[in-house]
Amino acid sequence: MCSSDLAELAAELLLIAGADPEAVARNEQRVRPIHSAVAGRSFSVTRLLVEAAADVNAPQQGGLRPIHAAAQNGNAAAIDRLLKAGAKPDAISEDNQTVLMTAARNGRPDAVRALLRAGAKVNVAESFKGQTPLMFAAGEGNTQAAELLLEFGADLKARSKAGYTPLLFAVRNNHLDTVKFLLSKGADPNDKIGDNTPALSMSVLNADRSE
């Protein structure tokens, strides 16, 4: 029997015996069993905890919900299970990032797709730097995530508080495949950041730094 099967059996025995599915670790991280199950990619234990009425929107340190962990590790099955149990597709962490931003930043297209199909807001911007999910995807070179976001209506021309569009984030970080993709979708090759530095100048400056 594999370790995941043993973990499921142990969790089931504990729950049958009266274990509290809402038990919170006595530390500053405030981790609950469902956080650990999702972060550990244990779908079977996650299912058991959901069936035992574990709070799928319970925050841990940083305001992170179980669905944030599922988005970070790309577990679309866990996302679907959590959503069906009442998890919020637009849950926000304490740093004002949505679940969709987490999935886009970490390059998890299956998670991005699951969240978008559940109605996650595609053009919402976090309040610190004003970045959208597409900006996070472009800045990390996650082209597949960017493609999905555009299919669901992401704004290619949106700007962060510093004046960066998704294309400029991709150029700044030398993500050539993403740059090529965004240009093919209509991004402006003459785009400029807030101080009027054009994308082409930015790419030249990046080349100078790498030598």
Side-chain angles (χ1 to χ4, degrees), residues 62-74:
L64 298 173
R65 273 71 176 173
I67 199 168
H68 281 99
Q72 185 167 356
N73 62 34

Side-chain angles (χ1 to χ4, degrees), residues 14 57 81-82 87 101 128 156 161 182 185 189 194:
L14 289 167
N57 288 303
R81 168 64 69 171
L82 292 167
M101 292 173 189
F128 180 49
L156 191 60
K161 290 183 178 180
L182 293 174
K185 293 298 181 179

Side-chain angles (χ1 to χ4, degrees), residues 184-202:
S184 76
K185 293 298 181 179
D188 183 3
N190 293 307
D191 204 356
K192 299 176 182 179
I193 58 175
D195 64 359
N196 284 324
T197 301
L200 183 58
S201 294
M202 189 187 303

Side-chain angles (χ1 to χ4, degrees), residues 101 104 122-126 130-137 155 158-159 166:
M101 292 173 189
V122 71
N123 284 313
V124 67
E126 48 83 24
Q131 292 182 216
T132 64
L134 182 57
M135 293 175 194
F136 280 106
D155 186 354
R159 291 187 182 274

